[in-house]
Amino acid sequence: MSLIEIKDLKVHYPIRTGFWNRITDSVRAVDGITFNIEAGETYGLVGESGSGKSTTGKSVVGLEKVTSGSILYKGQDITKADNRRKLDYNRDVQMIFQDSLSSLNPRKRIEDIIAEPLRNFEHLSKDDEKLRVLQLLDIVGLDADALYKYPHQFSGGQRQRIGVARAVATNPKLIIADEPVSALDLSVQAQVLNFMKKIQREFGISYLFISHDLGVVRHMCNNIAIMNRGRLVEIGTRDDIYNHPLHIYTKRLLAAIPETNVNQREAHRASRLAVEKVYQEQQSK
Amino acid sequence: MAENFEQHSDISAADLARLSQEAQAEATPSTAKIIWSEFKADRPAMAALFIIVGFIVFVMVGALFIDTPKMMETNIMAYFNQPFTPEFWLGADSGGRSVAKQLIVGSRNSIGIAIGLTIISSTFGICWGLISGYFNGYIDWGMQRVYDFMMMLPMTMMIIVLVTIIPHYNSVTLTFIFSIFYWEGTSRLIRSRTLAESEKDYVAASRTSGTSHWKIIFREIMPNISSLIIVDCTLSFAENIGVETGLSYLGFGLPSQTPSLGTMISNANDPNNITQYWWTWLPAALEIIILCLAISYVGQVLRRAADASQRQGAAD
């Protein structure tokens, strides 16, 4: 059985117009997607901005109100807040946010930030809690003197690692990583990603890895879903997607990866333009 | 599950005391220390703080030693007594009552009302704004219609009517009557910031961490808009001194037997007093100006302390 099963998930936002503010239309941010996440794997969700991948992630963690469809966890539909409460759902499913600065409360010390899920779900004694926070800081490679500092005193990479530590604190089964490294520069990206991989190996966590960066996704994910305009256009393993793309949108995304080999520059450009032309033709139909 | 973490980290219970001590040494200073270093960096504000605290303490304590009913008795012999005499430091008014003593008791009354009014109306306004802004949707809609209704009422006229129909009122009831009408501005201000603040990721992170709505509102969002709250409270304190004063000046504030800054300033209604007997109204007017200026200085320092990018204090 899969860890989490998403069935025909739809998230629509109403558009209200006119004098009476009636609902006249809706934005279909997520429009009927279905996929499963297995325990211990990293599932990649790729798409351009505005394709609904973040909305999907937020629905899975329970932050977004779902219009229709279901998300099954332990056989329960967690799109209902009651079921989430009964299962202590967020103890098992946590989230890492894109913007590390705004996802850490600027008025709280690091100890309080990391201990927040522990206080709500585990009710440890004061010393045990502090010990757990210190261990978590150690696991993500931060010193103990971070304990009483504020988020703005850390660099972007360190902050993102604090975000990872908070997400791992309750030993969850699934972590939604919503573009966790897209705000970081390349060397720091590698550092944070390797910490995430290390934690996955040690704790057997699954990731739903949301990104628009195909290089990063290739590094992280076994299974990948390509998303466009609220729908999944292609699902497959890493090998399927990168070596045998079927859908034209996937081909176009892959063609957009810059080629470092200068000798093949012209060939790469030609193939990109060819894909773009097919894509445009299909769009206009 | 705890063993799971033990396995992957070298830190064990034995290190706890040592590590937390190390962390303590590196800790960022507390808010109180930051505020104090801000005051030290800004001399005028420090002077303003001492003026406010000293004056309020002096007035509160001094008023305890003054027998108000006796002080308010008419004394024909001291009719418009000149100031700077041994018995009347600041002279006497048309009833021969000591201006200095009236100033002390009157300041106590006016400042007391202002403090009470600020505490009640700001607390209510802040809660109203936070709840309305955080929950959004129908709750926000309903709460904002109540707000609109309250804003629509003509405030000064309502207070005057309430004061006239209530038979026996004193400074406490007057504070409550004012409080009904003075929470609105604060609530709208707080709501607008809460709307922006509750969209931020740390609120979402708190929700996925299982924190309850009330805890998020008062422990997560409120500290983040504290600079706004502090500035609003200090400014509305300065303004609230004016509220009571203004109504007493019009004759609808405190009863005439209770001295206040407003009743003293209303001495200036009489052209004779303005031209010849300046000591009957000038001290009260000066006091209000100095007090309000000092409060706004202190408010600026508190705002700077709450916002790291504006700080001037050395220690950080």
Side-chain angles (χ1 to χ4, degrees):
Chain A
M1 201 181 95
S2 303
L3 179 66
I4 234 169
E5 295 173 23
I6 298 159
K7 276 187 198 148
D8 200 27
L9 181 74
K10 286 182 186 169
V11 181
H12 293 180
Y13 299 112
I15 300 173
R16 293 169 186 273
T17 46
F19 182 74
W20 298 107
N21 238 358
R22 277 182 308 194
I23 299 168
T24 49
D25 201 358
S26 58
V27 178
R28 298 181 172 82
V30 177
D31 200 17
I33 64 170
T34 305
F35 64 93
N36 298 337
I37 302 173
E38 307 297 330
E41 76 162 352
T42 304
Y43 200 94
L45 199 55
V46 186
E48 59 190 8
S49 50
S51 59
K53 49 192 196 316
S54 283
T55 312
T56 310
K58 281 187 179 160
S59 324
V60 174
V61 85
L63 283 173
E64 199 75 51
K65 226 175 145 270
V66 171
T67 313
S68 71
S70 65
I71 301 171
L72 293 184
Y73 176 74
K74 288 183 180 169
Q76 304 254 32
D77 184 7
I78 56 88
T79 55
K80 296 182 185 71
D82 276 353
N83 286 343
R84 282 205 298 272
R85 213 169 303 129
K86 249 184 281 168
L87 284 171
D88 255 0
Y89 177 68
N90 281 122
R91 184 176 179 167
D92 290 343
V93 178
Q94 275 288 337
M95 185 153 180
I96 302 171
F97 294 86
Q98 175 179 11
D99 182 354
S100 61
L101 187 58
S102 85
S103 70
L104 304 176
N105 188 339
R107 284 316 183 81
K108 283 167 75 178
R109 293 175 193 270
I110 301 304
E111 185 194 17
D112 298 319
I113 289 173
I114 296 180
E116 193 180 348
L118 295 174
R119 284 173 193 163
N120 289 317
F121 293 122
E122 303 218 349
H123 311 290
L124 299 169
S125 76
K126 253 197 154 122
D127 278 354
D128 283 351
E129 180 191 291
K130 190 179 262 181
L131 181 63
R132 178 75 72 85
V133 173
L134 284 169
Q135 286 169 347
L136 284 163
L137 283 173
D138 184 45
I139 287 169
V140 297
L142 288 168
D143 285 337
D145 42 320
L147 211 55
Y148 299 117
K149 286 183 177 163
Y150 289 96
H152 68 88
Q153 292 170 294
F154 295 90
S155 71
Q158 286 172 324
R159 272 201 299 268
Q160 198 56 285
R161 270 144 57 192
I162 292 166
V164 173
R166 171 174 61 186
V168 184
T170 52
N171 203 358
K173 306 228 167 37
L174 172 67
I175 292 181
I176 316 292
D178 186 1
E179 312 215 12
V181 293
S182 59
L184 307 173
D185 61 49
L186 278 176
S187 57
V188 184
Q189 278 192 9
Q191 191 191 22
V192 172
L193 290 174
N194 288 334
F195 270 113
M196 286 175 68
K197 274 200 143 180
K198 180 186 143 201
I199 287 165
Q200 180 170 43
R201 270 199 308 278
E202 290 172 359
F203 296 93
I205 295 171
S206 310
Y207 288 118
L208 174 60
F209 196 90
I210 299 168
S211 182
H212 56 248
D213 187 334
L214 286 158
V216 168
V217 170
R218 187 175 204 166
H219 177 66
M220 293 292 290
C221 307
N222 325 94
N223 286 307
I224 297 168
I226 309 281
M227 206 168 172
N228 185 24
R229 298 195 190 170
R231 290 167 187 274
L232 293 183
V233 295
E234 190 165 355
I235 300 178
T237 61
R238 174 164 45 190
D239 182 56
D240 289 340
I241 298 286
Y242 282 90
N243 299 327
H244 317 287
L246 293 176
H247 195 274
I248 183 65
Y249 182 73
T250 316
K251 286 180 188 165
R252 184 169 169 253
L253 276 182
L254 291 171
I257 301 176
E259 179 69 53
T260 45
N261 190 343
V262 187
N263 298 329
Q264 288 173 7
R265 193 169 130 208
E266 282 309 312
H268 186 250
R269 182 181 150 82
S271 72
R272 190 178 75 232
L273 290 176
V275 169
E276 184 68 27
K277 201 169 156 228
V278 179
Y279 178 76
Q280 293 298 347
E281 275 168 12
Q282 292 200 354
Q283 284 303 94
S284 55
K285 259 185 233 167
Chain B
M1 199 191 299
E3 287 101 60
N4 207 342
F5 285 93
E6 305 268 317
Q7 276 169 28
H8 304 296
S9 166
D10 307 328
I11 296 174
S12 65
D15 305 320
L16 185 63
R18 179 179 58 84
L19 284 174
S20 42
Q21 208 165 24
E22 275 174 27
Q24 205 77 55
E26 294 285 322
T28 320
S30 67
T31 323
K33 268 189 193 150
I34 291 169
I35 291 176
W36 184 240
S37 73
E38 259 328 291
F39 270 114
K40 277 200 284 196
D42 190 345
R43 292 283 155 191
M46 183 82 107
L49 181 71
F50 279 118
I51 289 174
I52 295 171
V53 174
F55 186 76
I56 291 178
V57 170
F58 168 70
V59 156
M60 294 286 168
V61 175
L64 294 177
F65 296 99
I66 294 171
D67 181 0
T68 311
K70 187 161 174 284
M71 176 191 84
M72 293 308 284
E73 277 170 13
T74 310
N75 175 11
I76 295 292
M77 301 304 290
Y79 175 78
F80 285 126
N81 205 318
Q82 287 289 324
F84 312 121
T85 54
E87 201 184 341
F88 296 98
W89 300 334
L90 291 174
D93 64 4
S94 60
R97 297 172 292 220
S98 164
V99 171
K101 283 181 183 172
Q102 278 190 70
L103 195 65
I104 291 174
V105 178
S107 302
R108 198 257 325 255
N109 290 338
S110 294
I111 291 174
I113 289 176
I115 290 176
L117 176 54
T118 311
I119 290 173
I120 297 173
S121 67
S122 292
T123 311
F124 190 74
I126 289 165
C127 292
W128 192 271
L130 279 168
I131 293 169
S132 177
Y134 177 79
F135 285 110
N136 228 324
Y138 291 114
I139 295 176
D140 184 39
W141 189 88
M143 289 175 90
Q144 288 312 304
R145 295 300 79 76
V146 174
Y147 162 87
D148 288 343
F149 175 75
M150 293 301 287
M151 280 304 278
M152 184 201 75
L153 299 174
M155 190 161 34
T156 317
M157 208 192 84
M158 293 285 291
I159 293 175
I160 289 173
V161 169
L162 281 175
V163 166
T164 8
I165 56 174
I166 293 175
H168 300 290
Y169 67 93
N170 53 24
S171 44
V172 178
T173 37
L174 198 66
T175 310
F176 282 115
I177 293 172
F178 286 147
S179 304
I180 302 172
F181 297 98
Y182 276 91
W183 56 270
E184 295 124 344
T186 311
S187 88
R188 197 59 167 244
L189 187 73
I190 299 294
R191 171 181 172 267
S192 65
R193 267 297 289 278
T194 311
L195 278 174
E197 207 68 28
S198 49
E199 289 299 310
K200 289 197 176 161
D201 276 348
Y202 71 83
V203 176
S206 281
R207 277 166 60 193
T208 61
S209 300
T211 310
S212 69
H213 288 310
W214 297 108
K215 240 181 167 175
I216 292 177
I217 293 175
F218 292 107
R219 302 286 291 279
E220 306 276 328
I221 295 178
M222 202 165 85
N224 276 292
I225 57 172
S226 59
S227 63
L228 187 72
I229 291 176
I230 288 167
V231 174
D232 187 64
C233 282
T234 44
L235 288 183
S236 59
F237 178 58
E239 185 192 337
N240 289 343
I241 294 178
V243 169
E244 185 278 328
T245 312
L247 272 173
S248 298
Y249 176 81
L250 292 174
F252 295 103
L254 288 168
S256 57
Q257 277 309 300
T258 317
S260 82
L261 294 178
T263 52
M264 296 189 71
I265 290 177
S266 68
N267 283 331
N269 271 345
D270 187 340
N272 266 345
N273 285 353
I274 292 194
T275 48
Q276 295 173 44
Y277 309 121
W278 51 268
W279 59 86
T280 53
W281 53 272
L282 192 62
L286 280 179
E287 185 198 319
I288 290 176
I289 293 171
I290 292 171
L291 215 53
C292 290
L293 268 179
I295 291 168
S296 71
Y297 262 109
V298 172
Q300 276 180 16
V301 167
L302 293 177
R303 191 196 61 217
R304 283 206 302 267
D307 183 354
S309 61
Q310 295 182 16
R311 263 173 223 161
Q312 294 178 348
D316 197 323

